[in-house]
Amino acid sequence: MGKISFTNISAVTLAVNKMASSIEFYDKLGMIVTYGGPASGFTTLRSGDVVLNLILHSGHSASWGGSVILRVDNVDQIYSNLLEAGLNPDTPQNADWGERFFHIWDPDGHELSFAELLPNQ
């Protein structure tokens, strides 16, 4: 049997304690609810081709369960938009591996990274 070749990730699912506050946070990131909602146990959000599922898991305690990295065209503009929305992301920085990025954490402690490729990379 040959190796399977993956072309992309269809969706990421994160466990959340409070669906309504999680949806409010992701709404500020520009994501749109396409299924479920604040009173639902399962919600799907979308931004472009990115699909994020939230599943209600009361009592979930996340310390650091990983990171979701979202490729964007303009990190500094996204950063400014999040500040205007009242969120508190880390300051953008350039990385040795050729990306400009910043992190922000959702209400349940999931780390989201926004990254753009630097020119000539």
Side-chain angles (χ1 to χ4, degrees):
M1 180 174 155
K3 294 205 180 233
I4 296 172
S5 175
F6 299 105
T7 58
N8 63 35
I9 293 175
S10 174
V12 172
T13 301
L14 301 175
V16 301
N17 282 305
K18 296 178 182 173
M19 188 64 73
S21 13
S22 293
I23 290 173
E24 179 181 355
F25 172 84
Y26 286 101
D27 177 67
K28 289 179 180 179
L29 297 184
M31 300 195 83
I32 298 167
V33 173
T34 60
Y35 177 83
S40 178
F42 185 88
T43 297
T44 299
L45 301 108
R46 181 179 290 272
S47 176
D49 291 334
V50 174
V51 176
L52 177 66
N53 296 315
L54 304 176
I55 187 165
L56 189 59
H57 182 7
S58 296
H60 168 74
S61 176
S63 54
W64 189 83
S67 177
V68 176
I69 301 169
L70 302 165
R71 177 79 65 216
V72 297
D73 292 328
N74 188 329
V75 160
D76 294 303
Q77 183 61 57
I78 301 288
Y79 175 77
S80 294
N81 291 351
L82 297 185
L83 289 176
E84 288 177 21
L87 298 175
N88 188 27
D90 285 351
T91 303
Q93 58 184 305
N94 292 348
D96 294 339
W97 56 85
E99 287 182 328
R100 182 161 178 76
F101 72 96
F102 69 87
H103 304 301
I104 189 168
W105 288 263
D106 77 1
D108 288 279
H110 301 110
E111 180 186 73
L112 305 176
S113 297
F114 291 84
E116 72 175 287
L117 291 175
L118 292 172
N120 303 319
Q121 299 299 316

